[in-house]
Amino acid sequence: QVQLVESGGGLVQAGGSLRLSCVASGSIFSINTMGWFRQASGKQRELVAVITSGDTTHYAGSVMGRFAISRDNTKDTMYLQMNSLKPEDTAVYYCAADRRPGIISAASWYNYWGQGTQVTVSS
C-alpha cells in the first residue's frame, strides 16, 4: 500500500515561510499525481497545488506566486514551499496522491492521504 506522511508545519508570523514535506512509502512506483490540500476550521478541504509525475503543476489562485510545489523522486518526497504567508493560510495541510494522471481539484478524486500537518500563521 501507499503511505504518506507530512511534516514541516508549525507556527509562523505573517510574511514568513515554511516548507512542508510529504514522504511516500510503500507501493510508490505507481504514484502519478500528488497534491497538497488544506482545510481550515469550519471550512471545506480545498486544493492548494498539484504536481504530476512529469512535473506539470497547478495552483489555487489564492496561493499562486507565493507557494511552490515540487517533488524529488530520488527521495520519494513532495514539497510545498510557502512564502509570504498570510493568516488566511492557517489550516491543516494534507498530502494527497493517486495512481492516475490528472490535474484534479476535487479532494474526493485522490485515493491516498496523509494525516495532515497544522500550519498556523499569526499576525
Side-chain angles (χ1 to χ4, degrees), residues 12-68:
V12 297
Q13 295 185 92
S17 298
L18 282 175
R19 189 180 74 162
L20 305 183
S21 299
C22 173
V23 179
S25 61
S27 186
I28 60 176
F29 68 91
S30 60
I31 293 295
N32 192 304
T33 304
M34 300 188 73
W36 290 98
F37 287 77
R38 66 186 183 186
Q39 188 165 19
S41 295
K43 296 185 177 181
Q44 299 259 331
R45 189 169 299 189
E46 66 177 5
L47 174 74
V48 177
V50 174
I51 187 167
T52 68
S53 61
D55 290 334
T56 299
T57 60
H58 173 76
Y59 297 89
S62 59
V63 306
M64 193 173 298
R66 299 189 297 120
F67 292 9

Side-chain angles (χ1 to χ4, degrees), residues 71-77:
R71 62 197 295 176
D72 184 346
N73 292 325
T74 67
K75 299 180 180 179
D76 301 323
T77 303

Side-chain angles (χ1 to χ4, degrees), residues 95-111:
C95 176
D98 203 271
R99 301 183 187 276
R100 298 167 290 174
I103 301 295
I104 307 297
S105 61
S108 60
W109 184 84
Y110 296 81
N111 284 312

Side-chain angles (χ1 to χ4, degrees), residues 3-19:
Q3 293 178 309
L4 305 173
V5 180
E6 304 98 333
S7 63
L11 174 64
V12 297
Q13 295 185 92
S17 298
L18 282 175
R19 189 180 74 162

